[in-house]
Every structure is written in structure tokens, then in C-alpha cells.
Amino acid sequence: MLDPHLAGHVTFSPAAPDLPPLAPGHHNLGLSAERDALLVVPEGLEPGVPVPLMVLFHGGGGSAQKILPMMEQHALTHRFLLLVPQSVFPTWDIVIAGNGPDRERLETALALVARHFEIDRTRICLAGHSDGGSYTLSLGLTNGHFVTHLIVSSAGFMSVQRQNGAPRVFISHGVNDEQIPVERSGRTHAALLKEAGYDVTYMEYNGPHAWQPPVVGLAVAFFLAPVPAGATP
């Protein structure tokens, strides 16, 4: 029987925090000396009120600092926690050889954030661009026991050994993407997920292999929108 962790299972269930909340600003989580995970804490979080959490994955060859500007202002404006891990190697473990050190460090990072903040269980999002989008799709569909939303930009593939839960999915892709053509990625992924019964929002835009700020804004609105009546968070 396949070890669930090798299949991408992340052991995480938000519990009551047992440490004081972190101050507003940027916090390195101390997971490693290099390529540490970064947590952005916005101003104005209300004590005792559960806070949404977004985990943002960078693209291949990227870093937290490269992907952070795409989402940081949204986190500050809309007051959600923004966790930005970094891959151990130039890209995510699943792209290279399978779930391993990046999955383990994500598990540790999530547990640490939950020790400082009460997480809104109806608003836990994975998001990413390119290889980060592929990682989002793969981990998100595997970990629907706690992930509620996926924001996927220009993903190349999804590798899912076990499906769990039914996170809502926002997929965007540029029609002029020459690196990962939309025909074999965005359109295919959206069609497969809709056929499987997922709640999918799919958007194409006039652009290359790059995350467009207006599309990011729409994705954030998708993440923070009220849960539809009768839907399971």
C-alpha cells in the first residue's frame, strides 16, 4: 500500500493556537538556513476571529521574493495570512521526483502558523503559478480534507494519486502562452475537473506565460467570496 505521504498527503488540522499571535509584517519561520518559508501577517487582525490563510507557491527557478509581489498587497488589504514556502531545490519536489522534502516542510510550516493564529477552516487556499500552479493542483486535490480553495495559474500538469474532499478551483491561463500552451493545460485541466464534479472557475486572458495582476485580483475575490448556500465549505 502506498504511503499517503508519498502520495502527497499533508497531515494538518487547524487547532486552537497555543502561542501568541505574531506581529504584523514579514516573518521567516526558521525551517531552514536557506530558502526559508515566509509568513506575511497583515495589520488589523481581530483577536479571536478566525483568519483566512493562503499558501503561495513560486514557479520553477523562483523564490518567495519573486512571487510575493503578486499577492502581498491583497493579503494586506483583505487581511488574510500569506504563507510563502520555498522549494528546497530549484523547483518543487513533485516536479523532480515525487513528494518529499517540500511536502514535509509545508506540513511543518502549516502547523507552526496554526500555533500562532486561529485559521478560518472555510478559507484555506493553495495558490501558484507555472510549476507552482502544478504543485497547487496536485497537492490541493490530494488534501481537500483541509484545503478549501485552489488558485491555479498556467499550470503544466497535475499528479494526483488520491483525491480528497472537493476544494473550489480557479484556473487561469494566457492564450499566448508559448511555454505551456493553453490547449494542453488550462483547458484540459478545467474540463477534467468539471467532469469529475469539482466547482471550477476557468478564465483565459490575452497574455503570455505570466500571471496578470487583474486576474490575480479576480482570483482573490473568488477565494474570499461567501460560500454558496447549501455548499460544503
Side-chain angles (χ1 to χ4, degrees), residues 57-213:
F57 299 114
H58 61 72
S63 66
Q65 294 304 322
K66 284 185 178 180
I67 194 71
L68 183 62
M70 265 297 161
M71 199 60 74
E72 181 175 18
Q73 190 55 53
H74 291 288
L76 299 178
T77 299
H78 298 289
R79 296 193 178 100
F80 59 84
L81 297 171
L82 182 61
L83 173 61
V84 192
Q86 300 190 84
S87 58
V88 174
F89 300 106
T91 192
W92 301 99
D93 51 14
I94 196 172
V95 181
I96 300 171
N99 292 287
D102 294 331
R103 186 211 60 80
E104 293 173 4
R105 294 211 302 182
L106 174 62
E107 196 170 79
T108 302
L110 287 168
L112 182 56
V113 172
R115 295 192 67 189
H116 289 279
F117 295 96
E118 184 176 355
I119 306 301
D120 181 351
R121 293 171 181 263
T122 70
R123 297 285 182 278
I124 301 177
C125 177
L126 303 187
H129 172 70
S130 193
D131 277 2
S134 298
Y135 205 46
T136 293
L137 266 179
S138 302
L139 277 189
L141 299 178
T142 302
N143 291 286
H145 59 288
F146 75 90
V147 176
T148 63
H149 295 74
L150 306 180
I151 296 175
V152 181
S153 171
S154 305
F157 68 91
M158 55 181 168
S159 176
V160 182
Q161 305 295 326
R162 298 182 179 184
Q163 294 170 255
N164 197 339
R168 295 179 178 86
V169 186
F170 182 103
I171 298 177
S172 62
H173 210 113
V175 296
N176 301 318
D177 190 335
E178 296 183 353
Q179 184 171 332
I180 303 177
V182 65
E183 294 85 359
R184 65 173 176 82
S185 48
R187 292 175 187 171
T188 300
H189 296 152
L192 287 172
L193 293 178
K194 288 179 180 179
E195 184 178 356
Y198 287 93
D199 180 348
V200 179
T201 298
Y202 178 61
M203 176 175 295
E204 295 182 0
Y205 54 89
N206 187 21
H209 188 71
W211 212 351
Q212 302 293 323

Side-chain angles (χ1 to χ4, degrees), residues 5-60:
H5 295 105
L6 294 178
H9 176 82
V10 175
T11 302
F12 178 64
S13 180
D18 61 353
L19 295 174
L22 299 173
H26 289 191
H27 298 270
N28 291 316
L29 296 187
L31 304 185
S32 60
E34 297 181 357
R35 297 183 66 79
D36 195 8
L38 172 69
L39 179 68
V40 177
V41 180
E43 298 267 6
L45 296 183
E46 298 182 35
V49 177
V51 58
L53 170 65
M54 179 183 291
V55 182
L56 180 63
F57 299 114
H58 61 72

